Amino acid sequence: MSTPNRETPPRPAAGRAGIKKELPDRFKDHRHVWVFIELERGQVHPVSVELLGEGRKLADKLGVQLAGVVLGPPEEATRNAVAEAFAYGADMVYLVEAPLLADYRNEPFAKAMTDLVDTHKPEILLLGATTLGRDLAGSVATTLHTGLTADCTELDVDTDGSLAATRPTFGGSLLCTIYTLNCRPQMATVRPRVMPMPQRADRPVGRVIEHKLWLAEDEIVTKVLGFLPDSQSAKANLAYADVVVAGGLGLGGAENLQLVKNLARAIGAEHGCSRPLVQKGWMPADRQIGQTGKTIRPKLYIAAGISGAIQHRVGVEGADLIVAINTDPNAPIFDFAHLGIVTDAIRFLPALTEAFTRRLSPHSRDKLAS
């Protein structure tokens, strides 16, 4: 008995070429790139400025406008944030002013943002990957039933106009590029210091589109009882430090991290470490430098006993000057360091600390990176 010939169906092509993309009609009128301007006690968070610079590039590639989104109380600081958005390249600003937005709470901020998106229909929405930004982005994406790519290290526009959002995966050993194919807006968060700071230019305030917040205080479950500033905590401020000293496994033991801290104290720097030290419990996670930790852009970065794996390199290569200290002349960190010193960091760090202490007065330590 013969078997009838059956044609084997063609296999879909690998990658995006094999994905059928059809944007629903209701999303085809979504236009423009939006950046959420985060306010921290009345001051614009630096990551929002960095995102305005990146958003400007995306908007220019797409041939659309760049808009800032400012949510805050009816105060001078909120209006100043509007002016700053224009100074860093925004073509227009969407503004929601309400007393309920004086302190961050998820309900009023998410309500304001989702109402804005539903009304004005952006195609891309970018937020900083801060504590506030992550909380807000997740709520907004869930409410809008759209995709969100978190902690991106690179943003670009694909040939068909889709947002290509790249982020680390598998513990920072791989990078993956994620697309939101069938939903709008395409949302992404970016960590502070991943993108360069754009130049500020004095520009007149342009078009401001005001929107009302339709929400009452008694509809909000969360209440603000008080505020504890970060200056009263021991958290690291690595991302915005001008000088950073970090240690790695080459230091041999947790006790030798004191050498890193001593040098940092001597030159007025922040101290940090590579990922293996956090994994061993030698330092807290907020001191980790690298793609899966803090991304830094200091004027001076001193790395002691750090081999320079790819996930660490991505987190530090924005530094103006990288000084690497390692006993292994073939360590990967010497491939991207500006100055390499092949020696034992355990012996070298005390000598370096002593030299800085002798030469630097307390005043000049503050001026070291200026």
Side-chain angles (χ1 to χ4, degrees):
M1 182 176 178
S2 63
T3 303
N5 290 330
R6 294 177 180 170
E7 294 185 1
T8 303
R11 297 182 64 184
R16 285 200 66 213
I19 301 175
K20 182 179 179 181
K21 175 188 174 183
E22 184 61 40
L23 191 64
D25 290 340
R26 68 182 183 276
F27 294 132
K28 290 182 178 178
D29 60 345
H30 283 237
R31 292 287 183 273
H32 309 308
V33 177
W34 286 14
V35 172
F36 170 60
I37 309 300
E38 181 178 335
L39 291 176
E40 221 177 24
R41 312 311 297 176
Q43 300 296 316
V44 175
H45 195 294
V47 72
S48 300
V49 177
E50 295 160 11
L51 285 176
L52 283 169
E54 198 65 19
R56 179 76 272 166
K57 299 174 189 176
L58 299 177
D60 290 345
K61 288 182 180 180
L62 291 167
V64 299
Q65 291 188 310
L66 172 66
V69 179
V70 177
L71 313 178
E75 297 175 357
E76 183 181 359
T78 304
R79 291 287 172 166
N80 289 342
V82 171
E84 285 299 287
F86 285 108
Y88 284 102
D91 298 308
M92 56 184 172
V93 169
Y94 293 96
L95 172 64
V96 182
E97 284 185 307
L100 300 183
L101 301 173
D103 294 287
Y104 177 73
R105 289 179 288 176
N106 183 273
E107 300 102 309
F109 272 72
K111 170 70 172 170
M113 183 67 81
T114 53
D115 284 354
L116 275 174
V117 170
D118 285 338
T119 302
H120 298 285
K121 305 181 186 308
E123 57 184 311
I124 294 174
L125 173 57
L126 307 178
L127 303 92
T130 60
T131 303
L132 187 160
R134 287 185 173 115
D135 184 71
L136 179 60
S139 295
V140 171
T142 301
T143 302
L144 297 173
H145 302 288
T146 191
L148 168 63
T149 307
D151 293 343
C152 298
T153 57
E154 183 180 349
L155 299 173
D156 204 351
V157 174
D158 206 4
T159 53
D160 63 0
S162 297
L163 176 66
T166 302
R167 72 178 308 278
T169 186
F170 291 107
S173 60
L174 292 176
L175 294 174
C176 64
T177 300
I178 299 173
Y179 299 84
T180 301
L181 297 178
N182 301 311
C183 300
R184 293 294 182 271
Q186 303 161 95
M187 293 181 61
T189 63
V190 179
R191 289 184 301 164
R193 303 300 270 170
V194 169
M195 306 300 179
M197 184 75 72
Q199 290 293 320
R200 189 184 188 280
D202 289 325
R203 300 172 58 203
V205 172
R207 184 184 177 201
V208 178
I209 302 170
E210 298 191 31
H211 192 92
K212 185 176 177 61
L213 175 61
W214 298 99
L215 194 67
E217 178 63 47
D218 57 11
E219 298 178 79
I220 305 173
V221 175
T222 309
K223 306 300 177 186
V224 178
L225 302 179
F227 173 71
L228 178 66
D230 284 345
S231 60
Q232 296 181 14
S233 72
K235 288 186 178 180
N237 189 29
L238 285 168
Y240 293 97
D242 283 331
V243 184
V244 176
V245 183
L249 279 177
L251 293 177
E255 66 279 2
N256 291 324
L257 286 172
Q258 189 59 46
L259 303 177
V260 170
K261 297 176 183 178
N262 292 344
L263 176 58
R265 188 180 304 110
I267 60 178
E270 282 280 0
H271 68 274
C273 66
S274 59
R275 184 173 63 177
L277 273 61
V278 172
Q279 293 173 331
K280 286 180 173 292
W282 294 359
M283 267 200 185
D286 65 345
R287 294 283 175 182
Q288 180 183 330
I289 298 171
Q291 197 172 51
T292 53
K294 294 288 193 305
T295 300
I296 61 174
R297 287 179 175 269
K299 296 177 181 178
L300 171 62
Y301 175 52
I302 301 175
I306 295 176
S307 64
I310 181 62
Q311 75 90 23
H312 188 81
R313 175 175 183 166
V314 171
V316 304
E317 60 186 354
D320 292 345
L321 177 64
I322 300 175
V323 178
I325 306 164
N326 203 295
T327 55
D328 181 6
N330 298 314
I333 197 167
F334 291 129
D335 294 336
F336 59 91
H338 302 95
L339 175 63
I341 304 171
V342 181
T343 188
D344 184 358
I346 297 175
R347 291 187 300 165
F348 185 76
L349 287 179
L352 187 61
T353 302
E354 183 181 353
F356 272 124
T357 302
R358 284 200 310 266
R359 292 176 178 269
L360 293 177
S361 66
H363 178 71
S364 60
R365 289 171 205 166
D366 296 335
K367 299 290 186 180
L368 181 63
S370 61

